[in-house]
Amino acid sequence: MRRHRLLAAVAGALLLTACGSATTGSTAGTVAVTTTLAITSSSAATTAPPPTTAAEDWRLAALDQARAAYGAPGAVAFLFLGDKQWAGAVGAADLEGTPAAASMRFRAGSITKTIVAAVVLDLVERGLVDLDRPTEEILPGVLRPDQPVTVRQLLDHTSGVFDWGNEGDPATDVTALTDPGLRAEAAALLAAYLTEEPVQVPDRILVALAETHPRYFAAGTGWHYSNPNYQVAGMVVEAVTGRPLASVLQETIAGPLGLASFSLAPADESSPELRGYALLSPDRHEPVAHPEDGELFDFTDDLSLFGNGGNGGLLTTAEDLARFFRELLAGRVLAPGLLEDMRQASAPARSLGIDYGLGLFAIELPCGRFYGHDGSVNGTASIALADEDGGRV
């Protein structure tokens, strides 16, 4: 979420070209082209391979300009414009120079939150979840019982729960855990991670680490983006259905919509073709700013902080992600009232000038109002945007 302004600008490279282009055969200003972008970023533009654009295709040229400006080895995009569609890829999927292809899977990061919000709202429609029910009644002891948080406040980021993962210090926070069993388990996981052993931290520990910090504000009185909100939301889904979040996602979203590439990590431990890199110190413990101070490490498959995947575990292709947003905004996933709930920003968000509802943000672009989400995880950045009726994605 923190990158959505930058990523919207990247997506806008295609949109603005479309709005002002006479090459599409449409009246200037009536055509909006926005993108689902998966950008594998090396953090060092000098490593990017030569572009693989076709000069005669303005869309590929725009995509490659965005890729180069972002400093990424490669980028993929998929567009819907009414009954027309377009897929494109430029650059490389990895530092070995494998050509990027539009059909490749990538980690969508926090775009997952929109899908998880839709799963929760499907359960609301079925009478299994009440948005205004305190999560303590569903998940006793997971969040502080003296500061109750509702399911709605998880989805719209008004819970006040600390954003552990983007903030916080693992070494310090582990020692602050009050439950001896959780503290011992978390300490063992941290020690294993520091020796580069693959680890997956359970949701219960990730949320408990967040709760070692004070709340940003009393629930419902402010807005602050927080990944643990959606880990708890995933736990709510599992508690009321008795099934893993990944399984419920397949039943309610991926299966009915025919989204064959959709799955959640870490339940799905397969490795996507689009790779992500970090520029780190030689011991891999600290990020560095300049290539001469470290080296690039492939950390596409670091699943340590994914938990049940609800905070950012989606694996997908650009086409399937675009199809989901088309179906969602066209009203073919949720009942109209629930879709409107997704699109309606909370009062605390609006007071801060933030247009964020239940897993969706809204943004005004030159071609109209669009809804979507961005994601940034493990060296991959992405954004998905759709207009109000899903006609342009």
Side-chain angles (χ1 to χ4, degrees), residues 115-116 119-120 122-123 126 234 237-239 241-256 259 262-268 307-310 313-314:
I115 287 87
V116 171
V119 169
V120 173
D122 177 79
L123 297 177
R126 290 197 265 160
V237 170
E238 295 180 338
T241 64
R243 297 166 53 207
L245 176 61
S247 175
V248 180
L249 168 65
Q250 288 297 321
E251 176 193 320
T252 61
I253 302 292
L259 307 176
F262 263 35
S263 63
L264 278 185
D268 180 354
N308 57 27
L314 183 69

Side-chain angles (χ1 to χ4, degrees), residues 153 156-160 216-224 346-349 351-352:
Q153 290 162 346
D156 67 10
H157 294 299
T158 62
S159 71
Y216 295 119
F217 42 78
T221 65
W223 189 93
H224 196 294
S346 66
S351 71
L352 297 172

